[in-house]
Amino acid sequence: MTKYIVRRVLISVPVLVVITILTYAFINLAPGDPISAMSDGLDITAGGGMQGVATEAQRKRFGLDKPWPVRYVLWLRELATGNLGRSYATGEPVLTEIGRRMVPTLELTSIALVLSTVFGTLFGVIAALKQYSAYDYGLSIAALFGVSIPGFFFALLCLYLFVAVLGWFPSHGMNTYGQPFSIWDNLYHLILPASVLAIESMAGMTRYGRTAMLEVMKSDYVTTARSKGLTEYVVIGRHAFSNALLPLITISTLRLPFLFGGAILIEFMFAWPGMGQLSITAVRNRDYTMLMGLALFIAVIVLVANLLADILYAYADPRIRVS
């Protein structure tokens, strides 16, 4: 297993390099640059007066006058030393900014992942065991709505219903403004955005869990276990559920990057001070270094999630042997 992990990590390095090249190229080929964003979108070229001269001087100061392949090589050289550069907008180190925003995002996405995995799997198993019953139809319809409704619309609906009408939850932030930090207050602010973020993944897990459980229940070893006189609890828990769990492990692990993507919108709508807010600000300011740092972080998350899925699958299924 150790050799397998090392081999996968080594394979991931060139993949990560290709991802950074494409990301850097697309970011730099887009219209505008950080200097024009600082000038409220007015890209004044040299020869257009003192302001144009100052703008070109700023571009030269930040190295934006060089071709993007040259700037990418310089960025890659700095990355090799653990330096992601400084934000064009704030002047702060990119690594510091991301580190400051990472904890709120990890808190939000981890809670959403746990909620979607636990409840999605539970609902899927219940729907499969109660096939063609009211539970099955109700959970299947709810899962279909959860997959179909856009996340931003569901967030607006929850904000209107649970905040504006009922007043059960706060509308924004990680804690009550002006109050000292409290774990319970933080969890109180976390309930609504984490639930909204988890709904779509939970609906998908319910559908996958139902399908996986139904396929396993028709297997020969489940029929053999019942013929031996084992209780239904043992048949379902020890034989059926453990095998139905295998595809769900892969699905839940690979959903982690999608949760990070969905968190950008949820964090913006709930004013959650995480990486989502930072991403939107970086796009608005055309902050190349910050965007590259965020893209690198997401790429690493995707590669780690794939590796983790393979490892968990190998440990969960004794029939799989990694040479």
Side-chain angles (χ1 to χ4, degrees):
M1 179 63 73
T2 303
K3 292 182 179 179
Y4 171 74
I5 295 175
V6 172
R7 186 167 64 248
R8 285 294 303 270
V9 171
L10 293 177
I11 293 174
S12 300
V13 172
V15 174
L16 193 61
V17 171
V18 172
I19 291 173
T20 58
I21 292 174
L22 294 177
T23 305
Y24 202 91
F26 287 138
I27 290 175
N28 284 268
L29 292 176
D33 58 25
I35 306 304
S36 61
M38 294 176 191
S39 305
D40 295 328
L42 296 177
D43 188 8
I44 305 174
T45 59
M50 292 299 296
Q51 191 172 4
V53 174
T55 301
E56 290 302 316
Q58 284 289 90
R59 286 198 178 94
K60 188 173 182 179
R61 175 192 169 194
F62 289 112
L64 295 174
D65 58 327
K66 298 181 178 67
W68 74 261
V70 176
R71 284 186 278 126
Y72 172 76
V73 173
L74 295 175
W75 177 84
L76 202 61
R77 187 181 65 183
E78 292 297 318
L79 177 64
T81 64
N83 180 24
L84 293 179
R86 289 181 175 271
S87 168
Y88 288 109
T90 64
E92 292 287 330
V94 171
L95 201 58
T96 302
E97 292 264 7
I98 293 178
R100 189 183 302 128
R101 301 295 189 101
M102 188 185 301
V103 174
T105 296
L106 288 177
E107 181 185 15
L108 178 63
T109 52
S110 60
I111 295 298
L113 181 64
V114 171
L115 289 175
S116 62
T117 302
V118 172
F119 287 100
T121 303
L122 177 62
F123 293 153
V125 171
I126 293 174
L129 296 179
K130 303 288 185 180
Q131 189 180 17
Y132 303 132
S133 66
Y135 294 102
D136 184 19
Y137 289 122
L139 290 171
S140 298
I141 293 173
L144 182 61
F145 273 104
V147 173
S148 304
I149 297 178
F152 73 91
F153 179 80
F154 190 72
L156 289 174
L157 184 64
C158 289
L159 282 171
Y160 174 75
L161 180 61
F162 296 109
V163 177
V165 177
L166 299 176
W168 288 357
F169 300 105
S171 61
H172 63 279
M174 289 184 62
N175 56 286
T176 304
Y177 181 76
Q179 298 293 328
F181 181 82
S182 167
I183 294 179
W184 296 111
D185 186 47
N186 177 237
L187 292 176
Y188 178 55
H189 283 74
L190 182 64
I191 292 175
L192 197 58
S195 300
V196 171
L197 183 59
I199 286 297
E200 184 177 357
S201 294
M202 188 188 304
M205 287 293 292
T206 299
R207 299 181 67 184
Y208 283 118
R210 179 183 182 275
T211 303
M213 197 67 183
L214 286 175
E215 290 180 357
V216 170
M217 294 295 289
K218 298 175 183 178
S219 301
D220 293 337
Y221 55 83
V222 173
T223 304
T224 303
R226 283 174 173 161
S227 66
K228 291 180 179 179
L230 298 178
T231 62
E232 194 68 12
Y233 177 80
V234 174
V235 171
I236 294 173
R238 183 177 299 177
H239 297 277
F241 180 70
S242 59
N243 287 280
L245 197 60
L246 296 177
L248 298 181
I249 291 175
T250 305
I251 294 167
S252 60
T253 308
L254 296 180
R255 280 188 178 273
L256 183 59
F258 293 99
L259 285 176
F260 271 94
I264 295 176
L265 178 62
I266 300 302
E267 287 182 5
F268 178 76
M269 299 190 70
F270 287 90
W272 190 263
M275 295 177 63
Q277 292 272 12
L278 187 63
S279 302
I280 293 175
T281 304
V283 171
R284 186 182 297 129
N285 294 329
R286 301 173 193 141
D287 197 340
Y288 292 166
T289 51
M290 185 62 68
L291 288 172
M292 281 303 301
L294 292 168
L296 180 66
F297 178 81
I298 297 298
V300 171
I301 289 293
V302 172
L303 294 174
V304 170
N306 279 273
L307 178 60
L308 184 61
D310 291 341
I311 294 173
L312 291 178
Y313 202 93
Y315 274 111
D317 192 347
R319 297 170 296 179
I320 297 177
R321 293 291 181 266
V322 181
S323 59

